[in-house]
Amino acid sequence: QVQLVESGGGLVQAGGSLRLSCAASGRTLPNYGMGWFRQAPGKDRIFVAAMTWSSTNTYYADSVKGRFSISRDNAKNTVYLQMNNLKPEDTAVYYCAAVQTLGIRVRPNEYAYWGQGTQVTVSS
């Protein structure tokens, strides 16, 4: 099975930046789809960003387009979410997810593996 561990969350002022990391371990899969989701208190888990591991195709939610960037490092087997110009409405628990696929996936139900989540809090 695939194991995912997030890190990099914390408290930041509005307009600041954070970079989240997701380290993957387990058996090697021929194809990966990787995603970032977030969940605020009392709300559903929603899509943030996704990429295909091999081709590095990316896709973003409209709310974060131009501010967030998803990327990966093959040597470290790690995916990143660079978050710039953070806003209070970005406050949430952020989750890394993975699934064996050839393309982009944007629905939580499409992902088989999940990290434990990391808290991001943006103060005004």
Side-chain angles (χ1 to χ4, degrees):
Q1 63 179 22
V2 175
Q3 295 173 315
L4 306 173
V5 180
E6 300 103 328
S7 62
L11 175 64
V12 65
Q13 292 184 346
S17 298
L18 285 173
R19 188 178 74 163
L20 306 183
S21 298
C22 176
S25 61
R27 73 179 188 276
T28 301
L29 300 175
N31 301 286
Y32 277 92
M34 304 296 299
W36 286 96
F37 296 79
R38 67 188 184 190
Q39 187 169 23
K43 297 185 177 181
D44 293 332
R45 189 169 301 184
I46 61 172
F47 170 77
V48 175
M51 70 175 297
T52 55
W53 188 272
S54 58
S55 68
T56 67
N57 290 337
T58 61
Y59 189 76
Y60 300 92
D62 288 342
S63 60
V64 306
K65 193 174 300 181
R67 299 189 297 122
F68 290 11
S69 179
I70 186 172
S71 62
R72 53 80 167 154
D73 186 325
N74 263 343
K76 297 180 179 180
N77 213 31
T78 298
V79 63
Y80 304 97
L81 184 68
Q82 178 67 46
M83 305 184 295
N84 298 323
N85 192 24
L86 283 161
K87 304 174 181 180
E89 50 263 45
D90 295 319
T91 295
V93 176
Y94 283 71
Y95 297 90
C96 175
V99 64
Q100 189 174 7
T101 181
L102 293 175
I104 295 287
R105 301 288 181 265
V106 300
R107 300 194 299 270
N109 290 344
E110 295 176 306
Y111 285 82
Y113 307 103
W114 292 85
Q116 81 290 339
T118 185
Q119 177 71 48
V120 172
T121 302
V122 184
S123 62
S124 60

